[in-house]
Structure formats: structure tokens, C-alpha cells
Amino acid sequence: MIISVLYGSTRQNRQGVKAARFICDQVRQRGHEVHLIDACNPELPMLDLMYKEFEEGEAPEVLQRIHEQLEASDGFILVSGEYNHSIPPALKNLIDHFQSEYLYKPSALVTYSAGPFGGVRVGPHLRAITGELGMISIPTMLPVSRVGKSFDDDGKPLDDAYNRRAERFLNEFDWYLRAFKAERERRS
């Protein structure tokens, strides 16, 4: 399967990228192909026109590349910090450039914070957004507390419990990936 991991922080010294690297590594270990799509791409414009609103061949190169990655994906993992109990604006901007690419594909949520709550308050906001876009999120979330102290710079966990949590989380995600893909293939 092909999984796109959408990561949404553009802050200096961002720590959440460690969680994004961790989940990408965990997904690769399951034999899936991974696209890490980072909202910190300076070429990504603020939303004016959605990808679908450009004439064919006229979309900026960065949008064309992301469109192709999302279109090829069987599912999505959103890695999000909690900004004032909600979604980071850069992640929302990234997500909102696209629409049909998400349809009938599952999503999974990895949330994080610098504190003890692991960014769980952003979850309901992300569930509403993913549901509206047709990429329903799986029931389980993977919250990461104290993200800056949970992984090294390469995304290797400093607490082995994250490997066990990720296994349960990704087992569930894999079930949804298989079920949604089977139904998409049946209907096509």
C-alpha cells in the first residue's frame, strides 16, 4: 500500500517532525511505501485556488507533485500538533488544496504536544475535517506527549512503549486500508 503522511508544523525548532519520522519508519517496516508531505515546503502557496481549479497542466509544480502522491495513496496519516486546542494553520492550508484525492480512503491521526496531553484536543477538529473530505479517521489515535523528549532527531523512540502503541494503532489502520481498498476496487 502507499501511505501519505501529512505533517503540518512550520515553526522554528519544530519537534513534531520527530513524530512524523517515527510513524513513517513504522509504516515502512510494515512494507508500505510512504510519502512524507511536509507543510513546511516554502513553495506551497497559501490557498487561493484548489488544485482542481487550475486548468490541466497549469497548477504550480508543488501542487502537481502533491496531487500525484495523494492520488496514488491508499490512506493518510495526519501528524498534528495542537495549536490553541486546534489544527495548525499550515496543515489546514496543505489539506485544503485538495479534495477528490482523499475520497474513500482512510486516515489515522498522530497528535502531539510539548506537554502531557499529547495533543488530543486537536483530534476532534481533525476528525471533522477528514470526515468532510471523505477520508474517515480510524477510531484509535496515537497521542505523543512531550514530543521533544520522546524521540531522537531521526524519529527513533526514546521509550519503547511507542513501538507497542504504534503497532496497535497501525494494525487498526491496516485493517481499514484493506477494507477501503477492497471496496474501491469492487466499485471500480
Side-chain angles (χ1 to χ4, degrees), residues 23-151:
I23 204 64
C24 285
D25 185 54
Q26 294 290 308
V27 170
R28 280 188 197 99
Q29 288 179 31
R30 290 172 167 263
H32 300 308
E33 182 180 334
V34 177
H35 301 293
L36 176 58
I37 302 173
D38 192 338
C40 197
N41 184 332
E43 298 171 7
L44 184 66
M46 290 298 295
L47 180 62
D48 179 25
L49 294 176
M50 294 177 67
Y51 172 81
K52 69 179 185 176
E53 295 173 314
F54 286 95
E55 295 294 326
E56 189 171 335
E58 296 295 319
E61 183 181 324
V62 66
L63 294 181
Q64 182 64 41
R65 185 174 57 252
I66 294 171
H67 159 77
E68 291 169 4
Q69 291 173 328
L70 297 176
E71 189 72 24
S73 294
D74 295 296
F76 309 97
I77 299 176
L78 284 69
V79 179
S80 180
E82 179 183 312
Y83 287 29
N84 300 315
H85 296 207
S86 192
I87 182 173
L91 181 58
K92 185 73 165 86
N93 182 59
L94 170 62
I95 291 168
D96 285 350
H97 274 93
F98 306 96
Q99 188 176 36
S100 64
E101 295 86 347
Y102 304 124
L103 289 175
Y104 306 111
K105 299 174 184 178
S107 64
L109 308 178
V110 176
T111 62
Y112 65 87
S113 67
F117 298 114
V120 296
R121 293 175 289 206
V122 73
H125 298 266
L126 289 170
R127 287 190 196 283
I129 293 164
T130 59
E132 179 63 25
L133 291 170
M135 59 168 160
I136 307 302
S137 67
I138 67 171
T140 300
M141 290 190 335
L142 181 61
V144 177
S145 302
R146 296 176 179 84
V147 69
K149 297 178 181 176
S150 294
F151 304 98

Side-chain angles (χ1 to χ4, degrees), residues 1-21:
M1 303 256 187
I2 301 172
I3 311 303
S4 283
V5 174
L6 285 72
Y7 173 59
S9 176
T10 59
R11 288 185 163 176
Q12 291 182 22
N13 302 316
R14 58 195 190 145
Q15 297 295 303
V17 72
K18 296 175 182 180
R21 291 175 183 143

